[in-house]
Amino acid sequence: KELIGEVEAFKASSKEEIEAFRIKYLGSKGLLKELFAEFKNVDAAMRKDFGQALNNLKNASENKVSALQQALDNSVEENAFYGDLTRPHEPIELGSRHPISIVKNQIIEVFNRIGFTVSEGPEIEDDWHNFTALNLPEYHPARDMQDTFFIEKNPDTLLRTHTSSVQVRYMENNKPPIRTISPGRVFRNEDISARAHCIFHQVEGLYIDTDVSFADLKQTLLYFTKEMFGKSKIRLRPSYFPFTEPSAEVDIYWGLETETDYRITKGTGWLEIMGCGMVDPNVLKNANIDPTKYSGYAFGMGIERIAMLLYQIPDIRMFYENDVRFLEQFKSVL
Ligand code: PHE
């Protein structure tokens, strides 16, 4: 019984100490072997107790050895894990930016360089900022051009159909000269296809100062396309927007080098990338800017379109599916 107490109190922290303990008690010439050999010399009356005590000692010794062994294994593992503070960390999987963000940042950067600041506004808009202030009074047929998602009627609350609404807000709160671009998400009730989606992103620009002309607009467009695409073969097609007069649509000549170029440009090599024009005097008046003193130009483009060209993405829906195999391909771009 004394021996059992000794066994239970035993402590060891190395492999060698544990092994010495095992040999001492359980080895082929160990204490237990010796004591079991004594068994036959024990009085018949005491055999039962003696035998039980021996078994207890044997069990206690075996348990001790395996417990010590287990503790030692655990601490070896722990040391391997925490021991070397200079070892490199488990690699952390890096994410990637979404192509829409990459292209948006590029556009912002190009316009920052010529003095445009970034302005933002709410995605849920009122009628005034999305339509009326932009020279689209109620019942104006041009409202149909923008298939609007209404949230409430009377007074109208809606998901903005373009970020021109941000520019109205900017004009209300700032005095010319104004040079701002408004990137953001916009919403239109359109059928979803390879070329169109009901949610997409725009960057719209506004420049107001004395003596701003259409030539300034065209020069800015040439600068932008050159910086953004490395080429600036563009054409301006006369168009109509209620908030600009005259208005134009800008096409870029992209060429037909790849299958995707062919699909995106419908086989023409040309792709419409934005709308633009000289800010209508009514829009300036609505924002309390004197149209006899100031003039300006405005433009608006879809970020998806531009990203599709740059990264050869044939279907706009790929931007919103969050397929990791698609997103991972932008890891190298920051
Ligand atoms: N707001 C127009 C649209 O969303 C784009 C545009 C902006 C056109 C500025 C002309 C001038 O389609």
Side-chain angles (χ1 to χ4, degrees), residues 145-146 161-164 167 188 200 202 204-205 241 243-244 247-248 274-277 297-301:
M145 282 166 68
Q146 316 219 324
T161 59
H162 48 190
T163 56
S164 305
Q167 313 199 322
R188 288 189 201 174
F200 61 101
Q202 280 190 329
E204 294 216 353
F241 298 102
F243 27 88
T244 47
S247 305
M274 58 177 129
C276 65
Y297 64 71
F299 56 85
M301 67 189 102

Side-chain angles (χ1 to χ4, degrees), residues 85-100:
L85 296 177
T86 66
R87 86 192 202 292
H89 194 274
E90 297 290 315
I92 297 171
E93 184 87 24
L94 280 184
S96 54
R97 275 191 212 287
H98 194 279
I100 301 285

Side-chain angles (χ1 to χ4, degrees), residues 172-270:
E172 286 171 347
N173 297 311
N174 295 274
K175 296 213 169 333
I178 286 171
R179 253 191 242 102
T180 189
I181 49 170
S182 317
R185 189 155 53 167
V186 300
F187 308 83
R188 288 189 201 174
N189 190 1
E190 274 182 44
D191 289 340
I192 295 171
S193 70
R195 296 169 63 87
H197 209 281
C198 57
I199 300 176
F200 61 101
H201 298 77
Q202 280 190 329
V203 176
E204 294 216 353
L206 177 70
Y207 178 36
I208 298 171
D209 203 344
T210 51
D211 305 315
V212 177
S213 72
F214 202 91
D216 296 324
L217 169 59
K218 189 173 176 194
Q219 208 53 46
T220 305
L221 297 175
L222 287 169
Y223 159 78
F224 169 72
T225 46
K226 179 87 191 170
E227 292 299 303
M228 200 65 202
F229 304 111
K231 46 183 150 189
S232 50
K233 182 169 172 184
I234 57 173
R235 67 182 181 197
L236 294 171
R237 272 180 297 110
S239 185
Y240 170 76
F241 298 102
F243 27 88
T244 47
E245 182 61 32
S247 305
E249 240 134 354
V250 184
D251 298 341
I252 184 166
Y253 187 71
W254 193 257
L256 288 169
E257 279 164 34
T258 68
E259 169 76 10
T260 307
D261 292 342
Y262 200 88
R263 279 166 72 176
I264 295 176
T265 68
K266 286 189 183 153
T268 64
W270 289 93

Side-chain angles (χ1 to χ4, degrees), residues 32 66 70 78 84 112 136 140 146 157 164 199 205 220 267 286 292 301 323 334:
L32 273 153
S66 63
Q70 187 66 47
E78 264 175 44
D84 180 3
N112 273 346
L136 276 129
H140 192 290
Q146 316 219 324
T157 310
S164 305
I199 300 176
T220 305
N286 287 338
T292 62
M301 67 189 102
D323 186 326
L334 286 174

Side-chain angles (χ1 to χ4, degrees), residues 14-30:
S14 73
K15 216 169 131 188
E16 291 73 25
E17 286 173 286
I18 298 170
E19 183 58 9
F21 174 86
R22 193 192 64 79
I23 290 169
K24 180 174 167 197
Y25 287 89
L26 298 162
S28 53
K29 287 175 187 155

Side-chain angles (χ1 to χ4, degrees), residues 21 31 43 60 87 89 100 104 107 111 184 187 210 246 252 273 285-286 309 316 324 328:
F21 174 86
L31 252 167
D43 264 11
R87 86 192 202 292
H89 194 274
I100 301 285
K104 181 185 83 177
I107 297 170
F111 283 106
F187 308 83
T210 51
I252 184 166
I273 53 166
K285 259 188 249 162
N286 287 338
L309 275 182
I316 198 171
V324 179
E328 265 179 352

